[in-house]
Amino acid sequence: MFLRRACFFINRTCGVFANRTVSQSCIQLSEELKNAFTNKLPVVALESTIITHGMPYPQNVECALQVEEVVRKQGAVPATIAIVNGKIKVGLSEKDINKLGDTKSSQPIKTSRRDLAYVMSNKKNGGTTVSGTLIVANKVNIPIFATGGIGGVHRDAENTFDISADLIELGRSSVAVISSGVKSILDIPKTLEVLETQGVFVATFGSSNDFPAFYARDSGIKVPYSVQNADEAARIIRSNRDINTKSGMLFGVPIPEEFAFDSDVINKVIEEALHEAKLNNIQGKLITPFLLSHIAKITEGKSLQSNIALIKNNAKVAAAIAAALAKLEQSQGEDKGTSIIGENIQRRPIIIGGSNMDCSAVLDTDNIQLDGRLYPSKFAYSPGGVGRNMCEAMDKLGYSPNFLTMIGNDFHGVQIKSSIPNTSKHCTKISQTKNTAQCIIVFDNKGSCKMLMGDMSIHKEITPDVILENEVYLKEAPLIIMDGNLTLETMNEILRIAVESNIPVFFEPTDSAIAELPFKSTYSKAIKFITPNINELYVIANLLNIPYTKSSRLEDIANLTERVVNYVDNVIVTMGHQGILIGRKGLATDSFQQKVTNEKFGARHYPTKEITNLVNVSGAGDCFASGFICALVSDKSEEICISVGFAAAELALFSESAVPKSMFDPSHESWSVPTKYTTII
């Protein structure tokens, strides 16, 4: 009964912050860690309560530095995590460790999930517990974490309900924890039961599946699995990351034999310490440091020596696993070639961009004079916006993306939200202070767009913090699609995540006035695809200091495209009724994912067929891009990507709304019949 009640409570709690992330601006990476991430070196996360609450000063500082050195000797990079003056630091300097270790002056707070906001907002110092460290390690994508022993279900928990947050965090953080099992002061069977309920993989490191008990090499409790070595552990961790279970793993490493206590002896010591804690009414997060300190006193310091020995041993094992995992990921990456888009089609692209209510005014003349006269017109309102149009079109093509956008808490916002597919709208944000964006589009009687007017100020509400709140969706995407409605600061944050996570970005410039923005970012190398019209291409070329002569000749546009490809791998120039000119390295029969065998630049012109009696041109470009992207993430050739894009655009030209009511599925002939082209270069 106790476990059912406990697990019900934990499961209710787990979902509350499932999609929240820590703001990147709160985290400081050391230069050593930045270099490690850039060069894909093995990294091991280390907690800091060992410094602030686990041992007396100065042994705590000495131990922390020695543990870091153990990690380095195994060829990995240590990432000790703590809060210093309100800032989360990943990778502490020796000065930081000394500062935290002198607890009389640093006054550190034992920091779990519940304490993070308080410690940070009050600019205090904090030693992160297993759960606190897991949150940060998961945030910065460190897959291996070494600690002494995890927290768990305390003895007498059926009365006190004292269950460590470590167990909850293990159930929702994709990090493998290497520890000497569960602290002996806890109820180990109940702890393992809760871990099972949380979906946490548990194994003993070694030949036996008898789970270790911190000071003792075995607890008498069997777990389902054991792993023989670092390579086997790395393969299991890799599989867990591939399947993206979003739950952690626990590997129990027995304490080295020469430092181990006999189970009966240490259990008697623990019982005495527990009795003392009860007499002194020690509860909550004070109980563990009290018990460890009292056990050290009873054993005349031998337990402290054991504690230090097991932590060093765990760090050594963790570093070996991290090195094996890095080697495994590197070899698997080489086997996959240089694909720029993830191989798993179930990973959903994410669109980040604008939503607005379009008001189209179709005049009864093509002779427009801006002299104040009234023109008889037909008005129509429909949800629009580049990002929103692409989201709807991709969904109707069978490739529903995630969609991050901002709408107002008003009538137009309700209409737009209802137009966003249910599978995409969980990233939709609602502003309480800004109106939904609106755009007035004026067409003449031939269907040509003559004027655009818009109130787009709400798009500035998509801030870097909003991006960080949804970072998990970016990191899991095979492709990030970004339109030009965002601020430079927001684009910079998106591109930073893309660079660090090796995710390609597809940029739709939207308008010549803002086409250059993302190329001002220091992370612009993440942009792998752009779809400018000719004027937008000129604007981008200006910023990149590429000389050109304005010309409508395909050869001149192709020559300019060739120079832009030095900055963006794939340039897809939209030219209205003239069709598409695409410039890239490779052949028309190559997909965009496969390794390019022909490094020679190629520029190809794909003409459109002549279309008469069109209804609306406002959504044709967005639908083309959507069709192109759907074929792109399906690993289709350039020819097929253009073919699917053209088919989607053609439907839009005969639709009164920007996106047709229905599109087509992958059985449509455009998915198998390539569009003919003319080679320009």
Side-chain angles (χ1 to χ4, degrees):
M1 171 63 84
F2 160 71
L3 281 177
R4 286 200 298 271
R5 288 165 60 205
C7 293
F8 171 76
F9 171 77
I10 291 171
N11 288 332
R12 286 288 301 274
T13 307
C14 278
V16 178
F17 296 108
N19 295 323
R20 296 296 296 269
T21 56
V22 181
S23 173
Q24 194 71 34
S25 62
C26 300
I27 296 178
Q28 292 181 350
L29 293 178
S30 69
E31 290 303 316
E32 184 181 23
L33 262 295
K34 288 178 184 177
N35 177 67
F37 290 141
T38 300
N39 294 289
K40 298 182 179 179
L41 302 176
V43 177
V44 175
L46 301 168
E47 61 161 295
S48 49
T49 48
I50 184 179
I51 306 170
T52 59
H53 293 81
M55 298 177 188
Y57 181 77
Q59 290 102 316
N60 54 353
V61 172
E62 293 169 0
C63 180
L65 295 173
Q66 289 168 4
V67 169
E68 286 198 340
E69 189 58 29
V70 168
V71 172
R72 290 192 177 94
K73 283 182 178 178
Q74 296 298 311
V77 178
T80 303
I81 294 169
I83 303 176
V84 181
N85 297 329
K87 282 282 186 182
I88 297 173
K89 286 196 172 187
V90 182
L92 298 186
S93 66
E94 188 171 339
K95 181 180 178 181
D96 290 329
I97 292 174
N98 272 290
K99 176 181 177 178
L100 285 172
D102 186 0
T103 55
K104 287 186 178 179
S105 61
S106 64
Q107 296 291 303
I109 294 173
K110 188 178 180 183
T111 306
S112 183
R113 173 182 281 270
R114 69 171 186 181
D115 312 292
L116 279 166
Y118 175 82
V119 176
M120 293 166 66
S121 63
N122 286 282
K123 302 190 184 308
K124 293 183 177 293
N125 299 311
T128 53
T129 63
V130 168
S131 67
T133 307
L134 275 170
I135 291 171
V136 181
N138 195 50
K139 166 71 177 174
V140 298
N141 199 25
I142 299 175
I144 310 289
F145 166 30
T147 184
I150 67 163
V153 179
H154 280 259
R155 302 184 188 196
D156 198 35
E158 58 269 27
N159 297 315
T160 64
F161 256 77
D162 193 346
I163 304 171
S164 172
D166 295 355
L167 305 185
I168 299 171
E169 216 58 55
L170 264 165
R172 57 185 169 191
S173 298
S174 300
V175 178
V177 177
I178 316 301
S179 79
S180 289
V182 179
K183 293 187 178 79
S184 310
I185 58 178
L186 304 171
D187 189 319
I188 296 175
K190 286 189 174 71
T191 298
L192 291 172
E193 285 284 350
V194 173
L195 284 171
E196 182 182 358
T197 301
Q198 291 296 298
V200 178
F201 171 89
V202 179
T204 299
F205 191 86
S207 56
S208 169
N209 64 343
D210 196 317
F211 201 63
F214 201 66
Y215 296 120
R217 286 180 60 82
D218 56 70
S219 62
I221 311 293
K222 303 291 184 183
V223 291
Y225 308 106
S226 65
V227 296
Q228 301 296 314
N229 51 49
D231 288 336
E232 185 181 352
R235 289 195 298 272
I236 296 170
I237 294 166
R238 174 67 189 185
S239 295
N240 190 54
R241 287 164 68 79
D242 282 344
I243 202 170
N244 196 22
T245 62
K246 296 182 180 173
S247 58
M249 314 185 86
L250 177 62
F251 293 86
V253 182
I255 182 174
E257 210 160 334
E258 62 269 31
F259 294 98
F261 278 81
D262 178 82
S263 297
D264 292 336
V265 172
I266 194 64
N267 280 332
K268 287 179 182 177
V269 172
I270 290 169
E271 289 295 338
E272 184 179 336
L274 285 167
H275 178 70
E276 195 68 27
K278 192 171 185 179
L279 289 177
N280 288 277
N281 196 29
I282 305 295
Q283 299 176 15
K285 63 182 180 179
L286 298 177
I287 186 72
T288 298
F290 174 85
L291 292 174
L292 293 177
S293 175
H294 204 72
I295 291 168
K297 189 181 297 183
I298 297 171
T299 61
E300 298 178 341
K302 290 180 181 178
S303 66
L304 181 57
Q305 293 174 14
S306 295
N307 199 348
I308 293 171
L310 67 84
I311 289 170
K312 288 181 180 179
N313 188 55
N314 294 343
K316 182 179 180 180
V317 171
I321 295 173
L325 180 61
K327 186 177 179 180
L328 184 63
E329 290 181 335
Q330 184 179 14
S331 64
Q332 288 186 353
E334 288 170 355
D335 291 341
K336 293 173 186 173
T338 57
S339 167
I340 59 169
I341 297 177
E343 72 284 353
N344 185 355
I345 192 63
Q346 297 305 315
R347 295 164 59 206
R348 297 168 64 190
I350 183 169
I351 300 173
I352 306 171
S355 296
N356 44 265
M357 182 58 66
D358 287 342
C359 172
S360 59
V362 181
L363 311 186
D364 65 355
T365 179
D366 63 354
N367 182 23
I368 300 174
Q369 304 293 323
L370 299 179
D371 55 5
R373 74 182 67 185
L374 177 69
Y375 287 98
S377 310
K378 290 182 179 179
F379 288 84
Y381 291 87
S382 63
V386 172
R388 196 219 65 86
N389 289 347
M390 293 176 69
C391 176
E392 182 183 353
M394 287 180 65
D395 180 72
K396 288 178 177 177
L397 288 166
Y399 291 84
S400 182
N402 290 314
F403 181 37
L404 176 51
T405 192
M406 185 74 68
I407 57 178
N409 187 20
D410 51 25
F411 176 71
H412 290 321
V414 172
Q415 290 181 297
I416 287 175
K417 189 172 183 180
S418 67
S419 76
I420 298 172
N422 287 332
T423 53
S424 303
K425 66 175 57 174
H426 50 271
C427 293
T428 299
K429 306 297 176 185
I430 299 176
S431 171
Q432 302 298 327
T433 59
K434 295 281 187 180
N435 293 326
T436 300
Q438 297 184 57
C439 182
I440 299 175
I441 312 164
V442 180
F443 298 97
D444 63 20
N445 61 356
K446 294 180 180 178
S448 296
C449 179
K450 293 299 182 182
M451 186 182 299
L452 288 167
M453 294 175 285
D455 173 9
M456 304 293 171
S457 60
I458 193 173
H459 297 326
K460 294 180 180 178
E461 299 286 293
I462 307 175
T463 62
D465 281 343
V466 171
I467 299 301
L468 289 167
E469 288 172 6
N470 294 271
E471 185 174 1
V472 63
Y473 298 108
L474 277 72
K475 287 187 171 182
E476 291 178 352
L479 182 69
I480 297 172
I481 303 142
M482 181 174 75
D483 75 20
N485 287 304
L486 309 170
T487 65
L488 175 58
E489 292 75 19
T490 297
M491 289 182 178
N492 191 65
E493 193 62 32
I494 294 167
L495 295 172
R496 179 195 63 76
I497 293 169
V499 166
E500 292 179 0
S501 303
N502 194 29
I503 300 169
V505 173
F506 188 110
F507 175 57
E508 163 48 54
T510 311
D511 187 88
S512 57
I514 51 180
E516 65 181 19
L517 266 184
F519 297 97
K520 295 179 179 180
S521 168
T522 54
Y523 301 100
S524 62
K525 65 181 180 180
I527 304 172
K528 304 298 182 184
F529 300 86
I530 55 172
T531 52
N533 60 31
I534 297 174
N535 288 330
E536 291 162 352
L537 184 65
Y538 292 151
V539 170
I540 293 169
N542 278 333
L543 183 76
L544 298 176
N545 295 316
I546 298 173
Y548 64 90
T549 301
K550 287 189 176 182
S551 169
S552 59
R553 292 177 66 246
L554 287 174
E555 291 80 3
D556 294 332
I557 298 169
N559 286 329
L560 174 56
T561 300
E562 182 176 13
R563 293 191 286 273
V564 176
V565 165
N566 291 322
Y567 300 88
V568 183
D569 292 351
N570 306 280
V571 180
I572 304 121
V573 185
T574 59
M575 300 187 297
H577 66 276
Q578 289 182 276
I580 297 290
L581 186 142
I582 186 166
R584 60 187 286 241
K585 291 179 181 177
L587 305 173
T589 52
D590 292 339
S591 79
F592 295 89
Q593 297 192 41
Q594 70 190 70
K595 185 176 182 179
V596 175
T597 55
N598 183 354
E599 289 289 336
K600 184 179 178 181
F601 173 82
R604 291 167 286 274
H605 175 235
Y606 293 83
T608 57
K609 62 184 180 183
E610 186 176 349
I611 296 175
T612 58
N613 301 319
L614 56 85
V615 176
N616 179 12
V617 299
S618 67
D622 299 337
C623 287
F624 168 82
S626 301
F628 185 97
I629 289 169
C630 289
L632 167 68
V633 298
S634 299
D635 198 21
K636 298 300 181 182
S637 68
E638 174 191 303
E639 300 166 299
I640 297 299
C641 289
I642 297 290
S643 176
V644 177
F646 275 164
E650 184 177 348
L651 286 176
L653 291 171
F654 295 101
S655 169
E656 291 186 356
S657 57
V659 179
K661 290 182 179 178
S662 62
M663 300 287 269
F664 51 85
D665 60 33
S667 65
H668 189 269
E669 66 172 0
S670 62
W671 286 86
S672 57
V673 179
T675 301
K676 293 181 180 179
Y677 62 87
T678 302
T679 300
I680 308 300
I681 297 178

